[in-house]
């Protein structure tokens, strides 16, 4: 049995038995890892706080036959502010579910971890949660290599584009029934170019009116859905709230 430290954030929990749970940690250098936390759901468990969703910290684990067992947790940040109101929590939950469903197992991407942490911090502190959310989703798509081409129509090269599909912009003539697409406006295209080109530190520093922010959010979800083929349940919940 070897002991090691995993630095990361709890993105998912699955209950097991009466009082145990498995947590999925999105971890530095190793990506998504499943860890068994014995008795973590008991009220007096030493793991109670350390295994809650959004907990970022150092997880000390014992490894045996390829399985990880939680030994202790040093919490760095618990993102407690996310629980202040239901909107903030719903956005945070949406971020975790997207990471869980879009990042393949065995893929480690430290920039994605940094993006998630920065986005959760911004979510707690910023009023404009829609902007934080859309930016997080589109930057994630960019890091995973699925960002659409935003130059001209991807089929004919024409400049007059009013729609977007998973590959990129489309003109009216190139719309096809079998290729899913959504509408896109010029200010939204500009914002997407900014998000793709800008580093995490300043990627949230732009303005967009509410109408186009909503469009940006819809396009972000559209790209997640078309590229990864998975429904994000927390998106429906979020849409009903807003
Ligand atoms: Zn075209």
């Amino acid at each position: 049995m070897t002991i090691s430290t995993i630095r990361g954030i709890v993105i998912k929990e699955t209950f097991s038995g009466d009082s145990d749970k498995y947590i999925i940690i999105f971890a530095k250098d190793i990506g998504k890892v499943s860890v068994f936390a014995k008795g973590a759901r008991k009220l007096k468990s030493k793991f109670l706080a350390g295994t809650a969703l959004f907990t970022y910290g150092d997880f000390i684990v014992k490894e045996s036959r390829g399985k990880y067992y939680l030994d202790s947790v040093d919490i760095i940040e618990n993102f407690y502010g996310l629980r202040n109101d239901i909107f903030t929590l719903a956005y945070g939950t949406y971020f975790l579910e997207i990471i869980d469903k879009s990042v393949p197992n065995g893929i480690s991407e430290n920039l994605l971890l940094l993006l998630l942490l920065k986005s959760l911090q911004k979510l707690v502190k910023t009023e404009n949660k829609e902007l934080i959310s859309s930016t997080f989703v589109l930057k994630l798509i960019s890091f995973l290599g699925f960002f659409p081409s935003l130059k001209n129509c991807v089929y004919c090269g024409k400049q007059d584009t009013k729609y977007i599909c998973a590959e990129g912009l489309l003109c009216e003539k190139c719309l096809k029934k079998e290729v899913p697409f959504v509408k896109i406006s010029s200010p939204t295209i500009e914002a997407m170019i900014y998000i793709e080109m800008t580093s995490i530190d300043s990627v949230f520093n732009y303005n967009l009116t509410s109408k186009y922010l909503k469009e940006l959010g819809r396009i972000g979800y559209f790209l997640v859905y078309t590229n990864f083929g998975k429904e994000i349940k927390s998106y429906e919940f979020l849409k009903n709230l807003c």
Side-chain angles (χ1 to χ4, degrees), residues 87-183:
F87 288 99
T88 315
L89 185 60
Y91 276 112
T93 308
Y94 177 51
F95 293 6
L96 297 191
E97 193 180 348
I98 289 183
I99 291 275
D100 180 45
K101 293 194 169 156
S102 67
V103 181
N105 289 329
I107 295 287
S108 86
E109 178 52 271
N110 289 346
L111 274 177
L112 273 182
L113 178 61
L114 191 67
L115 174 69
L116 176 62
L117 294 172
K118 185 99 180 170
S119 303
L120 291 175
Q121 283 161 352
K122 287 268 178 192
L123 205 51
V124 175
K125 289 182 195 152
T126 315
E127 284 291 307
N128 196 344
K129 303 191 193 300
E130 227 170 356
L131 185 145
I132 306 301
S133 173
S134 303
T135 309
F136 164 76
V137 172
L138 289 162
K139 197 67 183 163
L140 172 133
I141 287 168
S142 165
F143 283 151
L144 288 172
F146 291 100
F147 207 78
S149 162
L150 297 177
K151 279 188 180 149
N152 301 317
C153 173
V154 281
Y155 289 126
C156 73
K158 234 174 97 177
Q159 283 184 335
D160 185 20
T161 50
K162 293 194 176 76
Y163 304 89
I164 187 166
C165 65
E167 286 75 32
L169 296 175
L170 292 171
C171 74
E172 191 123 32
K173 278 189 179 164
C174 291
L175 298 180
K176 293 174 188 165
K177 264 190 205 156
E178 64 275 20
V179 179
F181 62 87
V182 283
K183 275 195 138 185

